[in-house]
Amino acid sequence: MSTPVPVAVPVDGDPLRDPALYINRELSQLDFNFRVLAQAMDPQVPLLERLRFMCISCTNLDEFFEIRAAAVRHAQEFGLPPAPDGMTPQAILNAIHDRAAQLVDQQYRCWNETLRPALHEAGIDVLGRHSWNHRQKRWLRAYFRNEIMPVLSPLGLDPSHPFPKILNKSLNIVVVLKGTDAFGRAGHLAIVRAPRSLPRIIQLPEKLGGPQTFVFLSSVLSTFVDEMFPGMEVQGAYQFRVTRNSELVVDEEEVENLALALRDELVDRGYRPAVRLEIAQDCPRDIVRTLLQNFGLTENAVYRIDGPVNLNRVVQLYDVIQRPDLKYPSLSPRVLRDSDGIFEIVARRDVLLHHPFDAFTAVLDVIKQAAVDPNVLAIKQTLYRTGKDSLIVDALIQAARNGKDVTVVVELRARFDEEANLGLADRLQEAGVQVVYGVVGFKTHAKMLLIVRREGRKLRRYVHLGTGNYHSGTARAYTDLSLITADPDIGNDVHLLFQQLSGLAPRMKLKRLLQSPFTLHPGLLQRIERETRLAASGRPGRIIAKMNALNEPQMIRALYAASQAGVQIDLIVRGACTLRPGVPGVSDTIRVRSIVGRFLEHSRVYWFGNDGASELFCASADWLERNLLRRVETCFPILDPELARKVYRDVLQNYLDDNLNAWELQADGSYIKCTPGHDEPPHAAQMALLQGL
């Protein structure tokens, strides 16, 4: 996707508001998945990791339709105004269809033409239905009769059997029938729904094809579906899958109990309005029209599939196949080693951790030690995502049972973790933990932990602040930063924030931290404007910022104005970026790059040159409207000069030097993969950090 380089024209008296200067957020988000899929096509990446990258692009696309495309469809239905880039909701939906269709085509080409043959060469076969030999087909027929058919409930469509409810992202087969059933009813169409209890990938016995031979459940259903309709002729069987709007809608101002309201919403989430229909490539048009009519969709929601509709399920092979030669080498992160306890270490100096290169166990140790330390009086923590069987939750429960005063702010509206967080809140409350559900209208996305400990005659506060969640699993797969400190000013700021969250306290003045939705947005704008003034006065102006996404218009206009004044700006934006770099006269000095590698880039770091007295912040917030204006977020300075230099070196300069896994955003909205120059040594930022272990 590319468009001509725009030339700014005045809009409402401000040329920096020109829609041509903004990339569409939804299309930019889609483009990120092309960069993920490129990893699946890279022969330098281990084969099973390539398979995983392909599946990540598929699951990302699912979530895109469930949330982003659904929001655009909602905007269309309610006649909302165009986006900052000037596109109407209808135009965005049309563009989404065209761009997503290209992505889907590339995903299935990647699977059919590249990965599946490569797996075969490696001794791993995923057999299509037309490649089964006689013995394999006989075994699969028996498997279908014994293991699959008993749990299926095919539904013939007639006036007494209307079109059934189809669960979000479930595997289904639409069957075209000819003849009459036992009651003399003429067959036409039937729907076969695959319960989620059935495995989507089936492994054949070793004697039928070797130790690593698999088939898709969808292939088995399509092949043997005729056994469910004895006496009738199956003229066609076509798999399909529908994706639905999964954004929960709760009017928090109108409900008395948010937890109860969310539980009610979760019951219906799987059956909310449809936004996408995936259908077998050879499905007749009249069948597609019937499905569209039943789902209330139009042609621009249809995606023809050359393979299994649930291609992302092939990721199961990654866990099943124990082939270290086809995966990344195992990671052995640095462990914080000291003969003293964690509190004694932090009392002497701040501790900075760069996950996953530094083990997340240090964060766990803080909470676990606090739970059993007789000098610890209170623990306060925010929880957004924690994962199943969280050791952190276990430690908080133990702390409460040991008589500590434990308060946990649980964000019930963490997308796709709502049900897990409801259960988590119940568990904590049963153990005597004081659970707070955050602030009405503002998701609590901040990652902070406060421990109050008696040391002699004084109380000392220990604080953990992070860019990522308290989730041991993602700490091994995402890059994030953790600061553990006993700095009194930071401790007092975090204390005030917890008061605000749990006690409905008024807005408070913080000394060190910036906070959304109050001081972070204006604080960032002030620092950008300071660099602008420096450049305008002839002194160096410099900004480097790393984040997951950027779309807040006022921030973008401030960056454009800074560039016009001569500020040198480097942005490392993993996903969606609606700013256009390199536009003559507007953003000549802005460079934007995206890094896609083994680990998901998740850390947020902001650095401002400040005429030699540089400031470096880490944050839980991206430069998105929602994070800066409609969420509770924290942004914290790295005060120790040595640690600040380390973050600058490892997380900023290191990533700016990457010429293997970096993609540079062009003014027309396209991305170009970086390659080493003629005399430039190859450099991959994540690999450099791994080699430093």
Side-chain angles (χ1 to χ4, degrees):
M1 179 189 67
S2 64
T3 57
V5 176
V7 177
V9 298
V11 175
D12 296 330
D14 183 357
L16 299 185
R17 294 180 183 269
D18 180 5
L21 295 177
Y22 298 83
I23 299 168
N24 182 263
R25 189 257 175 95
E26 276 64 46
L27 299 183
S28 182
Q29 185 68 36
L30 271 177
D31 275 0
F32 167 65
N33 290 300
F34 283 89
R35 302 195 291 280
V36 174
L37 187 61
Q39 292 291 105
M41 299 296 293
D42 185 350
Q44 300 302 312
V45 175
L47 180 56
L48 287 175
E49 304 294 348
R50 294 168 66 187
L51 177 77
R52 187 174 61 88
F53 277 116
M54 180 198 71
C55 293
I56 289 171
S57 77
C58 293
T59 53
N60 283 353
L61 188 59
D62 285 351
E63 184 173 334
F64 174 85
F65 276 99
E66 290 177 282
I67 303 301
R68 301 304 317 166
V72 177
R73 190 172 294 276
H74 177 84
Q76 178 203 31
E77 292 170 355
F78 284 85
L80 298 183
D85 57 273
M87 293 183 71
T88 64
Q90 183 60 60
I92 297 172
L93 287 173
N94 292 337
I96 284 174
H97 180 270
D98 294 344
R99 192 64 173 146
Q102 295 174 18
L103 179 59
V104 169
D105 179 67
Q106 289 190 25
Q107 287 170 338
Y108 281 86
R109 285 180 181 274
C110 176
W111 169 245
N112 292 321
E113 300 174 12
T114 302
L115 294 185
R116 200 169 187 170
L119 288 167
H120 173 74
E121 290 297 318
I124 303 164
D125 283 308
V126 184
L127 303 177
R129 55 189 294 199
H130 299 298
S131 62
W132 300 341
N133 62 36
H134 176 70
R135 292 176 65 228
Q136 290 167 342
K137 189 169 184 178
R138 185 173 61 190
W139 185 89
L140 286 167
R141 185 183 295 276
Y143 182 90
F144 175 82
R145 289 172 175 171
N146 297 327
E147 301 292 333
I148 297 176
M149 194 160 66
V151 299
L152 298 178
S153 299
L155 182 67
L157 303 183
D158 62 27
S160 64
H161 299 87
F163 201 90
K165 282 187 174 183
I166 301 296
L167 184 65
N168 181 39
K169 297 187 296 185
S170 61
L171 171 63
N172 303 271
I173 307 289
V174 57
V175 186
V176 183
L177 300 168
K178 183 179 180 181
T180 57
D181 67 8
F183 296 94
R185 296 173 296 191
H188 176 49
L189 291 181
I191 301 294
V192 178
R193 296 180 290 182
R196 292 195 165 176
S197 59
L198 293 176
R200 265 41 182 177
I201 297 282
I202 300 165
Q203 186 167 8
L204 294 178
E206 185 172 344
K207 63 182 180 181
L208 294 181
Q212 295 173 335
T213 304
F214 305 86
V215 298
F216 281 102
L217 173 66
S218 54
S219 298
V220 177
L221 287 174
S222 298
T223 302
F224 303 117
V225 70
D226 60 321
E227 301 220 0
M228 288 183 285
F229 304 97
M232 304 184 78
E233 178 187 349
V234 173
Q235 296 186 314
Y238 311 100
Q239 56 178 310
F240 72 92
R241 190 172 75 139
V242 65
T243 310
R244 298 183 180 276
N245 182 338
S246 293
E247 188 73 288
L248 297 182
V249 180
V250 176
D251 187 347
E252 298 174 44
E253 299 284 358
E254 298 296 325
V255 300
E256 294 183 3
N257 187 311
L258 179 59
L260 289 176
L262 275 173
R263 283 190 171 94
D264 290 341
E265 281 287 308
L266 284 167
V267 171
D268 296 326
R269 171 183 259 175
Y271 300 101
R272 299 196 68 215
V275 292
R276 174 181 61 163
L277 174 65
E278 297 168 277
I279 187 72
Q281 196 172 55
D282 59 345
C283 184
R285 288 186 60 83
D286 60 327
I287 303 298
V288 174
R289 283 195 295 269
T290 298
L291 294 174
L292 288 175
Q293 181 180 357
N294 278 280
F295 294 131
L297 295 173
T298 56
E299 286 288 342
N300 72 349
V302 177
Y303 295 84
R304 296 278 187 165
I305 301 301
D306 183 17
V309 294
N310 50 350
L311 183 58
N312 58 316
R313 293 302 190 108
V314 77
V315 77
Q316 294 173 22
L317 297 181
Y318 185 91
D319 295 322
V320 170
I321 297 170
Q322 302 303 311
R323 291 280 299 274
D325 58 312
L326 301 181
K327 298 180 180 182
Y328 286 125
S330 60
L331 173 65
S332 298
R334 289 181 294 261
V335 178
L336 185 64
R337 299 188 186 280
D338 198 298
S339 57
D340 296 327
I342 189 70
F343 296 119
E344 286 70 23
I345 297 172
V346 177
R348 294 195 302 268
R349 67 182 189 276
D350 288 356
V351 171
L352 181 82
L353 304 170
H354 189 187
H355 312 300
F357 315 103
D358 292 309
F360 190 67
T361 51
V363 179
L364 294 174
D365 287 344
V366 173
I367 306 173
K368 288 163 68 176
Q369 289 187 30
V372 298
D373 188 333
N375 294 316
V376 168
L377 306 180
I379 303 173
K380 304 176 190 292
Q381 186 168 11
T382 60
L383 292 179
Y384 193 77
R385 302 187 198 279
T386 62
K388 295 180 179 179
D389 304 319
S390 170
L391 294 176
I392 285 179
V393 174
D394 291 343
L396 292 170
I397 289 173
Q398 182 183 13
R401 289 174 176 163
N402 286 344
K404 319 295 183 190
D405 185 79
V406 182
T407 300
V408 178
V409 181
V410 178
E411 181 47 72
L412 295 182
R413 297 152 299 177
R415 186 177 294 142
F416 299 121
D417 275 339
E418 299 95 344
E419 188 170 3
N421 284 2
L422 284 165
L424 164 67
D426 289 343
R427 237 187 108 200
L428 289 167
Q429 286 174 323
E430 288 169 3
V433 174
Q434 179 174 283
V435 174
V436 179
Y437 293 146
V439 182
V440 171
F442 297 85
K443 282 187 181 180
T444 301
H445 192 248
K447 291 69 165 100
M448 55 185 184
L449 164 70
L450 174 66
I451 295 167
V452 181
R453 188 171 188 259
R454 180 171 294 285
E455 297 181 359
R457 296 183 178 182
K458 295 182 180 180
L459 296 182
R460 173 173 265 177
R461 297 186 178 105
Y462 292 86
V463 168
H464 170 268
L465 292 162
T467 66
N469 295 303
Y470 292 103
H471 191 302
S472 298
T474 57
R476 292 190 294 269
Y478 294 8
T479 67
D480 270 306
L481 292 162
S482 284
L483 175 70
I484 310 174
T485 180
D487 180 86
D489 292 335
I490 291 179
N492 191 59
D493 282 356
V494 173
H495 165 73
L496 292 174
L497 287 177
F498 274 111
Q499 273 194 310
Q500 196 175 66
L501 288 171
S502 64
L504 302 178
R507 180 172 171 177
M508 300 173 179
K509 184 174 178 60
L510 305 181
K511 188 168 184 179
R512 294 290 190 183
L513 270 59
L514 298 174
Q515 173 205 11
S516 289
F518 303 120
T519 58
L520 178 53
H521 187 239
L524 291 173
L525 290 173
Q526 289 165 12
R527 286 163 174 80
I528 295 171
E529 289 161 4
R530 182 183 63 198
E531 299 300 317
T532 305
R533 291 193 301 272
L534 286 170
S537 66
R539 297 197 294 277
R542 188 77 171 101
I543 298 170
I544 309 174
K546 182 176 184 291
M547 64 201 74
N548 299 330
L550 165 62
N551 82 334
E552 205 285 304
Q554 197 172 350
M555 294 287 289
I556 293 174
R557 291 196 297 272
L559 291 169
Y560 284 157
S563 179
Q564 290 175 325
V567 179
Q568 294 296 315
I569 302 170
D570 280 289
L571 303 176
I572 306 165
V573 185
R574 184 195 76 209
C577 177
T578 62
L579 174 149
R580 290 188 188 273
V583 177
V586 176
S587 55
D588 308 76
T589 65
I590 302 179
R591 296 160 294 275
V592 180
R593 55 174 34 213
S594 170
I595 307 289
V596 182
R598 172 176 177 175
F599 306 110
L600 181 76
E601 287 300 328
H602 196 252
S603 55
R604 293 95 164 186
V605 181
Y606 321 142
W607 183 89
F608 303 93
N610 194 26
D611 202 19
S614 62
E615 290 183 298
L616 187 143
F617 295 88
C618 299
S620 61
D622 295 311
W623 288 3
L624 291 170
E625 289 183 80
R626 70 183 189 195
N627 297 87
L628 298 175
L629 305 175
R630 299 192 300 275
R631 285 189 173 184
V632 177
E633 305 272 13
T634 49
C635 175
F636 50 96
I638 305 300
L639 300 175
D640 183 310
E642 182 180 343
L643 296 182
R645 284 192 293 271
K646 177 177 174 57
V647 175
Y648 181 92
R649 182 183 66 246
D650 291 352
V651 186
L652 297 179
Q653 191 60 57
N654 181 36
Y655 282 83
L656 293 178
D657 292 340
D658 194 310
N659 55 24
L660 292 177
N661 290 323
W663 297 73
E664 291 188 346
L665 176 60
Q666 309 301 300
D668 65 358
S670 62
Y671 282 83
I672 295 178
K673 183 77 178 288
C674 293
T675 55
H678 178 64
D679 296 321
E680 184 183 18
H683 180 77
Q686 292 184 3
M687 183 57 68
L689 292 167
L690 284 168
Q691 290 172 345
L693 294 177

